[in-house]
Amino acid sequence: MSKHVMVSAMLSVALVMTVAAPVAAQSVRFEPEQLAALKWRQIGPASQGGRVTDIEALPSRPSTIYLGAASGGVYKSVNHGTTWDAVFDGEATLSIGDIAVSRSHPDHVWVGTGEANNRNSSPWGEGVYRSTDGGTTWQLMGLEETRHIGKVLIHP
């Protein structure tokens, strides 16, 4: 399963959960030929994973969005969220607490690792990372022993 499919599914579920009104249950019957073209695929975790800890975008670049997952790393979309690419898979941890994008330098992205609402399904973080090229490469900047970073602020 591609990671952009998993993130799209997580966002879809989150949006449906926040905007859907309760609906009375209805019985629907499908004929086998109606289902023949459908293929089974995994759309995401079924238990404790899949939590999104942060979504960041700038008004000056609305097509570029960064998403932090509690135990799944950082994803980036450059087409308003239509597709997503994992941009943090090469680092020592995938537990994300917060993301900050610089308004004055939109390619400067900071990531605090270690989900602040930690639970048994997410590991500790490893500090704060910085990218100066929009998430292509990352540099560990410090705070390795903090374990959980729930907020990153950038001075204007």
Side-chain angles (χ1 to χ4, degrees), residues 33 41 63 112 122 131 137:
E33 60 272 5
R41 63 188 170 97
S63 63
S122 59
S131 174
T137 61

Side-chain angles (χ1 to χ4, degrees), residues 28-153:
V28 178
R29 179 167 169 76
F30 292 99
E31 298 301 324
E33 60 272 5
Q34 292 174 298
L35 304 174
L38 299 177
K39 304 280 189 260
W40 284 100
R41 63 188 170 97
Q42 181 180 0
I43 60 170
S47 59
Q48 300 171 6
R51 295 178 318 281
V52 173
T53 55
D54 194 17
I55 299 174
E56 293 293 330
L58 295 177
S60 62
R61 284 192 185 174
S63 63
T64 301
I65 307 166
Y66 293 90
L67 180 141
S71 57
V74 177
Y75 299 86
K76 179 181 179 180
S77 175
V78 294
N79 55 14
H80 299 279
T82 302
T83 60
W84 297 85
D85 292 310
V87 296
F88 204 76
D89 281 359
E91 307 318 317
T93 183
L94 294 178
S95 181
I96 306 302
D98 195 42
I99 301 171
V101 181
S102 173
R103 290 181 179 266
S104 57
H105 301 290
D107 285 331
H108 291 201
V109 182
W110 291 77
V111 172
T113 62
E115 178 192 8
N117 298 314
N118 196 19
R119 49 190 299 176
N120 63 346
S121 62
S122 59
W124 290 337
E126 193 196 44
V128 176
Y129 284 81
R130 178 185 69 179
S131 174
T132 58
D133 54 13
T136 301
T137 61
W138 297 94
Q139 179 182 5
L140 179 61
M141 301 303 292
L143 300 175
E144 293 91 343
E145 298 299 320
T146 55
R147 296 185 182 168
H148 308 288
I149 298 174
K151 189 68 176 168
V152 177
L153 300 174

